[in-house]
Amino acid sequence: MRIDFFTLFGEWFDWFGGQRHVRNALEHGSELRYVNYRDSTPLSGRQVDDSPYGGGAGMVLRVDVVDAALRAVYGEDSPARVILLTPAGRPFDERLAAELAAEPHLALLCGRYEGVDERVRAHLVDDAISVGPYVLSGGELAAMVVADAVIRKLPGSLGHADSAVEESFSAALGGLPEYPHYTRPASYRGWGVPEVLLSGDHAKVAEWRRVRSRERAEPG
Ligand code: ADE
């Protein structure tokens, strides 16, 4: 898979690209690229934003700037699924992560400032995604959240092949949250571990996990 991040702050991704599971994915053939809107802006002085029509605080990322960046990388027709990160987007969840992980090529567009000209969403992207009902200072962290959830689904990303199979919201758990985990010591400050997990009875362990998983899906 190839993921292109369109951003004004490529350095935000330095840390992300260095993480073990991301490097694993890269070693297995995935590719990450970073595109700075300023590098292809048609405006002078590397300008990318402007004040909003109708007035108001803050600056808005311009549609011609975003279009120029996409054209500079893809030409007339984008081979990527182009996604805008915005708090007003479709909520990101595990199902959407799995859907995106099946794509060969993603373009994640990070907004900044007050927002992004609405014509970007209307004409230039295939999807708009929100990582939660709160406003971040830009789309960079949101893009990393999306990329992280997607990349860990790629073959070779996680060290242990099974670890992404039976985890929260996975198909193996029927879309339910994951069951609780315990490890040594069996007793710590008087806090024990459920007996069944120490029993060696795999069927009972599996049943216990199914029940706990269901309980977590219906809290209270
Ligand atoms: N940009 C700013 N806030 C965001 C959010 N919650 N989700 C996606 N992109 C964003």
Side-chain angles (χ1 to χ4, degrees):
M1 153 172 286
R2 172 173 156 188
I3 305 179
D4 301 330
F5 298 92
F6 288 74
T7 174
L8 293 168
F9 298 94
E11 69 278 6
W12 279 52
F13 295 89
D14 291 349
W15 168 85
F16 180 73
Q19 298 312 300
R20 179 81 252 171
H21 64 294
V22 177
R23 282 191 286 130
N24 285 345
L26 298 182
E27 279 161 21
H28 280 76
S30 288
E31 198 185 337
L32 302 182
R33 292 198 198 174
Y34 305 96
V35 182
N36 190 326
Y37 295 116
R38 292 193 199 282
D39 290 345
S40 52
T41 178
L43 308 171
S44 59
R46 289 169 67 79
Q47 183 190 343
V48 292
D49 58 339
D50 231 315
S51 46
Y53 280 128
M59 300 292 268
V60 178
L61 191 60
R62 289 174 51 132
V63 61
D64 51 351
V65 168
V66 175
D67 195 25
L70 288 168
R71 282 166 185 273
V73 180
Y74 306 129
E76 213 36 54
D77 261 321
S78 165
R81 177 156 166 187
V82 181
I83 296 168
L84 174 68
L85 282 311
T86 164
R90 158 183 178 197
F92 187 60
D93 60 12
E94 194 64 20
R95 184 193 295 248
L96 185 48
E99 186 187 316
L100 298 183
E103 295 277 353
H105 191 172
L106 299 176
L108 302 180
L109 308 192
C110 306
R112 271 273 145 182
Y113 308 107
E114 244 344 75
V116 178
D117 189 299
E118 186 59 23
R119 289 167 289 183
V120 169
R121 184 173 180 162
H123 303 290
L124 297 179
V125 307
D126 301 303
D127 253 319
I129 292 180
S130 163
V131 297
Y134 41 78
V135 181
L136 300 166
S137 53
E140 284 75 13
L141 287 173
M144 281 185 250
V145 166
V146 169
D148 188 86
V150 167
I151 286 171
R152 64 198 307 285
K153 294 190 177 302
L154 302 180
S157 171
L158 303 183
H160 191 286
D162 288 339
S163 42
V165 172
E166 202 171 283
E167 65 177 8
S168 287
F169 314 115
S170 61
L173 290 181
L176 296 175
E178 202 172 1
Y179 45 78
H181 298 281
Y182 295 88
T183 186
R184 279 179 276 273
S187 177
Y188 179 70
R189 292 177 59 189
W191 306 325
V193 169
E195 271 308 316
V196 58
L197 298 181
L198 310 174
S199 68
D201 184 333
H202 297 305
K204 273 203 182 128
V205 168
E207 177 55 19
W208 180 89
R209 286 177 168 168
R210 261 193 300 278
V211 172
R212 296 288 95 76
S213 212
R214 244 177 275 130
E215 278 174 4
R216 284 189 162 180
E218 300 148 13

